[in-house]
């Protein structure tokens, strides 16, 4: 993979609003290095502080849960 995804793409991924192609790109990026999942988790924690994200709170929690479960199975 070439380079890291843009921050907005990672936000879209966490919110579940990215395209299927973007989703695959982020998934491949997450598979490259364990630190990438940590980066995504940190971004999600930062997003939690933003008022507009509260609308999608359950979706973000679900995505984080999936990421953490995937990390534990590696």
């Amino acid at each position: 993979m070439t380079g890291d995804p843009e921050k907005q793409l990672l936000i879209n991924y966490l919110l579940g609003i990215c395209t299927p192609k973007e989703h695959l790109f982020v998934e491949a990026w997450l598979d490259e290095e364990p630190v990438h999942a940590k980066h995504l988790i940190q971004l999600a924690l930062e997003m939690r502080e933003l008022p507009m994200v509260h609308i999608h709170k359950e979706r973000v929690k679900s995505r984080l849960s999936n990421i953490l479960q995937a990390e534990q199975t590696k």
Side-chain angles (χ1 to χ4, degrees):
M1 175 176 282
T2 58
D4 292 342
E6 295 290 328
K7 185 175 182 177
Q8 186 61 52
L9 175 56
L10 295 177
I11 291 170
N12 291 350
Y13 176 85
L14 287 170
L15 295 175
I17 59 172
C18 59
T19 67
K21 184 177 179 180
E22 291 169 334
H23 182 85
L24 290 174
F25 181 84
V26 174
E27 292 285 323
W29 176 76
L30 288 170
D31 288 340
E32 283 182 354
E33 299 286 337
V35 72
H36 291 170
K38 291 177 184 177
H39 176 73
L40 189 62
I41 290 166
Q42 180 61 41
L43 177 59
L45 292 172
E46 292 171 14
M47 287 173 55
R48 187 176 63 184
E49 302 301 319
L50 300 174
M52 67 179 193
V53 175
H54 294 293
I55 297 168
H56 303 289
K57 187 176 180 180
E58 291 305 315
R59 190 181 296 174
V60 171
K61 282 183 181 178
S62 175
R63 300 295 294 168
L64 280 175
S65 176
N66 292 340
I67 291 166
L68 292 173
Q69 287 175 358
E71 278 298 304
Q72 291 174 354
T73 60
K74 286 186 178 180

